Amino acid sequence: MSYKLYGAIGFGVGGLIAGLAGDYMILAFIFFGMIGSAFLSIPVRDLKFTILSSLLGAIGFFFGFTIPMFVVLGVLDLGLLFVGLIMGFLGGGLLGFAYKNMQVFIPAGMIGFGIWGFVIDILRPFYTVIHPAIVMMIASALAGAILGYAANTAKRAENHK
């Protein structure tokens, strides 16, 4: 199975958990980053690397969600697109540190989680029809697939050295 599929599954499951967390959503982003990053690292087949990327993903996505959530939504009211861009920068950056290829992961994280925020904002009016946790799962799976692309690119670059 490919990095993209593992990324989509891992971040999709993490997004579902965060979407179901309700008032504890901010804390659930620790598990969001941990689960998504762990799944993303499965093709590497290295337990130490999986633990490292899980910890860095948990830290990156927790702070990447929490800080902009209060600043961007609380003070500036710019929407989840901007939260996603900042979350993708921090979460993708720390994953890029683990994969030793930040120049691929930062843009991929920002694109993926920018799309994440856009999808959630666009589908918000339909929350009476579609459960918010399902929307979060779909948006997170899309972002995870894009991070999977970055992981695949980083590993290919590492193998060509």
Side-chain angles (χ1 to χ4, degrees):
M1 289 195 345
S2 73
Y3 284 98
K4 292 175 241 133
L5 184 59
Y6 278 117
I9 292 169
F11 280 98
V13 169
L16 181 63
I17 291 169
L20 291 171
D23 291 341
Y24 299 101
M25 181 183 280
I26 289 175
L27 292 176
F29 266 84
I30 293 170
F31 297 105
F32 172 87
M34 188 178 293
I35 293 167
S37 301
F39 267 79
L40 190 62
S41 68
I42 287 174
V44 176
R45 296 186 177 157
D46 181 358
L47 184 59
K48 288 180 186 177
F49 181 77
T50 298
I51 292 169
L52 173 66
S53 64
S54 295
L55 290 174
L56 291 175
I59 293 166
F61 287 104
F62 172 72
F63 286 110
F65 179 77
T66 306
I67 294 168
M69 191 66 163
F70 291 112
V71 173
V72 173
L73 293 181
V75 177
L76 303 174
D77 195 25
L78 295 174
L80 283 177
L81 171 68
F82 290 97
V83 171
L85 289 171
I86 295 167
M87 186 169 66
F89 178 80
L90 290 175
L94 285 178
L95 280 175
F97 180 76
Y99 281 84
K100 296 180 179 114
N101 199 335
M102 292 174 73
Q103 66 269 21
V104 171
F105 269 90
I106 289 175
M110 291 178 73
I111 291 167
F113 284 96
I115 292 170
W116 170 90
F118 181 74
V119 167
I120 293 171
D121 276 345
I122 291 296
L123 294 178
R124 186 168 295 162
F126 302 104
Y127 278 2
T128 55
V129 179
I130 306 169
H131 194 282
I134 300 299
V135 173
M136 180 76 110
M137 179 183 71
I138 293 167
S140 299
L142 289 170
I146 293 171
L147 283 178
Y149 169 79
N152 187 41
T153 302
K155 283 301 170 186
R156 270 189 299 156
E158 185 178 297
N159 290 336
H160 290 306
K161 287 183 179 180

